[in-house]
Amino acid sequence: AQVERCRNESTLLRLNNLSSHLLTHFARSVGASYLHHMLSTLVAEVALSKKSLDVRRDPSGGLSEGQVNLQNYTARFLDSILK
């Protein structure tokens, strides 16, 4: 019934009702455990790493070591989430 009454699909889940509250609670509870399971090892690795994550520009115009490291970590995070 809620779907039929909605005039615009982009506002469907913005409504303040029981179904949107249940979906929010479900997403938070399941999403948090999923992210913890999928990313905790990688987060710990980044936190304990001695690799530079300094993203200041390299004077030569290329990517700095920190930028390359950040790109690699970002790719690994996305791979973990999307696999």
Side-chain angles (χ1 to χ4, degrees), residues 2-15:
Q2 177 182 339
V3 174
E4 288 83 21
R5 288 192 316 260
C6 186
R7 293 184 186 166
N8 184 339
E9 66 276 356
S10 67
T11 62
L12 179 61
L13 298 178
R14 293 185 195 169
L15 299 174

Side-chain angles (χ1 to χ4, degrees), residues 25-67:
H25 179 70
F26 175 79
R28 285 183 182 156
S29 63
V30 172
S33 62
Y34 170 78
L35 288 175
H36 184 269
H37 173 74
M38 297 302 291
L39 301 178
S40 60
T41 304
L42 187 53
V43 168
E45 180 185 331
V46 172
L48 298 173
S49 174
K50 303 289 185 199
K51 291 182 180 180
S52 169
L53 296 178
D54 184 359
V55 294
R56 284 180 269 185
R57 290 184 177 259
D58 188 309
S60 69
L63 293 177
S64 69
E65 178 185 354
Q67 288 171 320

Side-chain angles (χ1 to χ4, degrees), residues 19-32:
S19 60
S20 64
H21 287 288
L22 288 173
L23 182 59
T24 298
H25 179 70
F26 175 79
R28 285 183 182 156
S29 63
V30 172

